[in-house]
Each structure stands twice: as C-alpha cells, then as structure tokens.
Amino acid sequence: MQEFRDRAVRDTYTNVHRVLDMLEGLSLDGILYADGAGLDTTKTCLDGTRIQTLKEIVDWINDPDVNVPRIFWLHGQAGRGKSAIAHTVALQYKNAGGICSCFCFARDRQSERREQKMLSTIVRDLANGDPAFRRAVVRAIQEDNSLKATHDVMQQWEKLLKPLSKVSGGRVGNVVVVIDALDESGSDASRKHILKVLTEAASLPSNFRILLTSRPLADIMRALRDTQLVKVVSLDKVSAERDIHMYVSEQLKDQPDISAAEINQIVCKADGLFEWARLACEWMGSDAAGETVKERFDDLMVPMSREGATLLDEMYVTFLKSAVGNRDKPLARFRSLMRQILYTLEPLPKDALHAMRMHFQQEDDHFNVTLILDHMGPLLSGATDHKIPIQLLHSSFHDFLTDQSRSGDYFVGDSGIQRELALASLCVLYEGLCFNICGLESSFLLNSEVPDLAERIKAKIPSQLSYSCLFWAKHLQATKFDPELAGHVKDILGNKRILFWFEVLSLLGILGNAVSALSSTEIWSQVR
C-alpha cells in the first residue's frame, strides 16, 4: 500500500515503457499541441471549499455503472467558480496516479485557434500517461502521417481519440478528460465540431469520463441539455455561501479592521459569486495610499444607484473609481491601454505593450503604461511584472468593459484600434528586423541542430517583434485600405526585410504563417 501511495511501482512501470518507446522510436513529437492550455494549480479551490460539488464529481468519476453518463457538464454564470472546480478535479486525479488530461480555453487566446488542437492535445496527454495508449497513437500516425498536423477535429476524433478507447493491456482505471471554459473558445462556429464530438461520446467505454465547464450559451445548451449521455449540474443553483465565507475569512485574516461582522457583510454582498469575493478581498487588501482597509470596506458596502447593475458590475465600478477615478486624462489613458490589451491577439508583457504603443499615431497614446497597470493588479495578471503577459483575470471583466450600458465612463470600444495595432506592428518590424538576428555562426545547420537556439531567440527577439511578425497581417486585414499603411507594408515586403521576416518566422517555428499573411495582404491591397 505504501508503494502504491508513493506511486513507485506505477512510475517504474511508466518510465520503463518510456525508455522502450525511445528505443523503438515511438515519439509523439510533431502532433499538434496547445501550449499553456493545461492544468494550472494556482486556480484550484481553497482547501475545504466546494466539498459537495467536488464529491459529486468524484462519485461520478468512480461510478462502476456501465450506463453512467460519459459527460458531466458543470455550467453557471461568470464568477461562480467553475474553473477552480475543474482544475481541482484534474489535480486531485493526477495526484492519485490516474490518467488525466486538462484542457482550458481562454478568451484572450482565441487567435491560437485552440479548438483545432483540443483533441490532439488531449490525445498526447493520455498517451504520455499510458504506454498502450502511446503505441496506439503511434500506429495511427504511421498509417496516416497527416494526422500529426491536421486541424480537422472530426479526423482527430475518429482516428486518434476513439481508437484509444479500444486499447487493452494498459493500466487499469478510469480515464478523465477535463475541458474548462468551452464558452471562451470563440464564436459558435469554433465549437460546432467539438459539440458534435461530445454528442458522440456515448460510444466511449464506461471508464472514460469528460468533465466540461462553461457558461450556458445557447449552442452548448442545445447540444447537451436534453441528452441522456450528459449529467447536467448548474452552479447557479448550488449555495456557495459557506465556501465564500471560508475564502473571505482566509484572505482577510490579517486585517485587524475587518471583524466577523464585516466578513458576513462581504459574503452577503457576494451573493454566491466567488469572483466578486476575490475582487473584493484583493481590492481591500491592496497597498494603496490615502485609504484604510475599513474605508475601502465602507465604500464597497455603499449601494450602487445605477439601475440594473450586476454584483460584478458594482465591484468593477467601485474598483475603477478608486484606481482610475473620473478625471479626463486618467480615463482616456485607461481606455487607450485597455483597448490595446483587449484587441491584441496574443497577451504581451508590460514592456512589449509599451514599446508597441510608442508607434501609435496619436501623441496622447504615448504614455508609460505603468501609470495605469500599477493600479490594476486585482483585475489583470502580470500588471506588476515586466516579464509576465498582461491578461484579464476573468472573462466577465471583458464583457463589462465592452458593454457601454454596464461600464459607463469605463467603456472600451474598438474604434481605430486595428489600424493602430497594424501601424505599430509594421513599425516594429521596420526597426527590429535585421540579417541573422540571432547571430548564428553557420547557415548550414538546421534550426534543430543549434544547441542554444532557444536562449538566442529569447535574448534577440523581443516579445513585440515576435508578435508583430506573427500578427501584422491579421491587424492589417481588419482595417480599410490606407495609403499610409500601404507605404509601411511596402517598406517590409518590397525589399530585403521580407527575407529577415522569413528568418524570424523560421526561428520561431511558424514559417508556414507567411503564406496566409501574404495572401491576405494581397487581397487587402487590391481594394485600391
């Protein structure tokens, strides 16, 4: 039993097979994989919270009944804590030695088209956890090598994932797949084939389990609500008052001005929304000049006069009034920076955001981004770190900012931002591209043969340059034809810089993106 708890036997079994796999050439390298879409242990539930919901999911996973639904759909409005539960289940099952894959969608990573890589990523995760699965995947690829790079979700399902369910001789136990925030994959079209696959999940063996979380969007509801193969649970109907009380008490335990009475008021105000409680605790506990924690608490408890405001909206307005205020210049800078963050196609760190906006056309946009970011920690990840990409901590903040009826003075529209991002990207390319950017000693070596290539890329290709190389054409395509922009395009494509651009794409492993970029630019230029 102790060896089982220590996973010594399991790890030895798995590692021996991995050595054999290397000797036999059973490599999974090359199969599409979505980096950064996996388990995040920082997003798990606080110990002792969500006990009832977690127990219900664990009981479903371990249910021996062959007729048990293969899918557990956990849905609810923004802020209910769906993602925390999903990551907790994945972490607990992996720690127990089970075969598990966790795949997360994110609104600010939609440009990566993660929906095209979801199943192939899950397949690689499962194959890495079981030698028999790995052999089955390798056999499928040997029979059809195009499966490595296919974006066809239905082919990934039929030829990669379904065959795994027929494998025998591997490790015993249930196979758990966690898919978090499906609603953040993009438009309805991005989910169409995934939902079709999920409706066919009844064909999977009884030891396969799929935990799915999302908001109850119409297309997801239509596909999953009325089918027997799905167990449907709504977090909107589950009381979270006890768990939020435990969370708030833990977060504010070191604040002498906050007693049990204040904690009860915060819990009552949260009304079941974990995200509201998190924001409230972050805001009250933040280090800000000129206000005590008790004064921040009092501001938080003032009823909002704006009719129809949701609890999260109230929290966002309260926070932004304190962090940004209502003066014209701070408001204009807040809108400008958030517009850039919302419409950048891949999250960028603070320094890269600053470097790009220095090329925006309006002089008023040329300000130090730290003036705003330093005060946005509770709402943005990376706000106080120059190396971490700036991302919204919760999708509800995006919805709030882009709905003028909800955000009022803090509304962030999209007017002119695509042109600004296209212009900035082209200017960054003009200034940053050069011959042999990584200083390679020989052009006769493949990229894979350069031993320290990753370190050279990190040192020589800053985030704003790699972003511009990848996305300048997408931003250009989203604008109307503009002679000024056309001149900048000619500065890149009409001389040797196009070769330097190819080189950077090659170093980044995305040279194939040049084809679509050039094609879309040709179409854009023909408008003239």
Side-chain angles (χ1 to χ4, degrees), residues 85-387:
I85 292 172
H87 286 274
T88 301
V89 171
L91 179 62
Q92 289 180 352
Y93 199 71
K94 292 190 79 168
N95 285 344
I99 304 174
C100 179
S101 174
C102 181
F103 188 95
C104 308
F105 288 98
R107 183 190 297 275
D108 55 7
R109 307 299 288 265
Q110 290 176 3
S111 64
E112 298 174 10
R113 304 298 300 271
R114 284 186 172 181
E115 69 276 9
Q116 297 178 349
K117 306 173 186 177
M118 185 190 84
L119 293 182
S120 58
T121 300
I122 290 170
V123 165
R124 276 185 60 171
D125 287 345
L126 299 182
N128 281 328
D130 188 286
F133 282 178
R134 175 184 286 261
R135 286 179 167 78
V137 174
V138 171
R139 280 196 298 272
I141 292 172
Q142 288 172 344
E143 293 173 3
D144 184 356
N145 194 57
S146 67
L147 292 176
K148 273 190 173 183
T150 182
H151 291 152
D152 186 336
V153 173
M154 299 312 298
Q155 276 206 75
Q156 293 173 11
W157 164 248
E158 293 290 342
K159 296 185 178 181
L160 289 178
L161 188 55
K162 275 181 72 175
L164 293 189
S165 65
K166 302 172 184 177
V167 171
S168 60
R171 288 164 47 201
V172 178
N174 287 341
V175 177
V176 176
V177 174
V178 177
I179 303 172
D180 181 43
L182 180 60
D183 54 295
E184 295 187 27
S185 64
S187 64
D188 291 7
S190 70
R191 294 184 292 274
K192 178 180 177 182
H193 298 300
I194 291 175
L195 291 173
K196 187 176 189 303
V197 165
L198 291 174
T199 59
E200 295 181 14
S203 62
L204 292 173
S206 58
N207 67 322
F208 273 72
R209 300 285 189 274
I210 300 174
L211 172 61
L212 173 70
T213 73
S214 77
R215 289 185 290 177
L217 300 187
D219 61 322
I220 303 177
M221 292 283 286
R222 285 193 300 269
L224 302 178
R225 182 175 50 188
D226 299 322
T227 174
Q228 293 183 344
L229 66 93
V230 179
K231 180 180 177 67
V232 181
V233 173
S234 171
L235 276 182
D236 294 335
K237 299 178 181 179
V238 177
S239 174
E241 184 173 333
R242 171 192 168 276
D243 295 337
I244 292 178
H245 190 283
M246 185 180 296
Y247 174 82
V248 173
S249 299
E250 174 65 23
Q251 296 299 311
L252 300 179
K253 64 183 180 182
D254 296 326
Q255 300 295 344
D257 294 336
I258 303 300
S259 66
E262 282 82 16
I263 289 175
N264 288 333
Q265 291 182 61
I266 295 171
V267 173
C268 182
K269 185 90 170 176
D271 195 26
L273 293 179
F274 262 93
E275 180 62 11
W276 193 95
R278 183 193 70 79
L279 282 170
C281 292
E282 284 268 353
W283 181 61
M284 290 171 59
S286 61
D287 185 17
E291 277 186 313
T292 66
V293 173
K294 186 62 166 62
E295 287 171 338
R296 287 195 162 212
F297 168 82
D298 292 338
D299 289 343
L300 194 63
M301 292 299 114
V302 174
M304 299 296 294
S305 60
R306 188 161 51 87
E307 185 178 353
T310 67
L311 279 168
L312 276 176
D313 291 356
E314 293 177 9
M315 185 67 248
Y316 288 136
V317 170
T318 301
F319 172 83
L320 291 173
K321 279 185 176 179
S322 173
V324 180
N326 295 107
R327 295 179 61 191
D328 290 343
K329 182 174 285 186
L331 268 175
R333 287 176 170 174
F334 166 79
R335 296 191 198 104
S336 174
L337 179 58
M338 291 309 302
R339 186 178 296 114
Q340 182 185 8
I341 292 171
L342 291 183
Y343 291 96
T344 296
L345 295 173
E346 185 177 272
L348 288 171
K350 183 185 297 187
D351 290 345
L353 286 171
H354 181 77
M356 291 196 69
R357 72 183 300 103
M358 289 300 103
H359 297 288
F360 284 9
Q361 195 161 35
Q362 298 299 319
E363 190 67 28
D364 289 345
D365 290 325
H366 300 172
F367 58 87
N368 193 323
V369 296
T370 60
L371 292 173
I372 299 298
L373 288 178
D374 283 353
H375 304 277
M376 298 292 290
L379 300 177
L380 304 174
S381 65
T384 57
D385 191 314
H386 288 263
K387 298 179 181 179

Side-chain angles (χ1 to χ4, degrees), residues 397-434:
F397 190 43
H398 177 284
D399 298 340
F400 168 81
L401 291 175
T402 54
D403 185 339
Q404 191 167 13
S405 65
R406 296 169 61 188
S407 50
D409 290 340
Y410 305 102
F411 169 68
V412 178
D414 61 354
S415 177
I417 186 59
Q418 293 296 344
R419 187 187 185 282
E420 294 283 26
L421 290 172
L423 175 64
S425 297
L426 291 166
C427 290
V428 167
L429 293 182
Y430 185 84
E431 293 181 354
L433 291 175
C434 64

Side-chain angles (χ1 to χ4, degrees), residues 435-440 453 456-458 460-461 503 507:
F435 174 74
N436 192 16
I437 191 169
C438 284
L440 303 180
L453 185 61
R456 293 187 187 222
I457 289 174
K458 186 176 181 180
K460 298 296 184 179
I461 305 178
E503 182 186 12
L507 292 168

Side-chain angles (χ1 to χ4, degrees), residues 456-471:
R456 293 187 187 222
I457 289 174
K458 186 176 181 180
K460 298 296 184 179
I461 305 178
S463 299
Q464 64 269 21
L465 181 57
S466 61
Y467 178 90
S468 299
C469 285
L470 185 55
F471 293 118

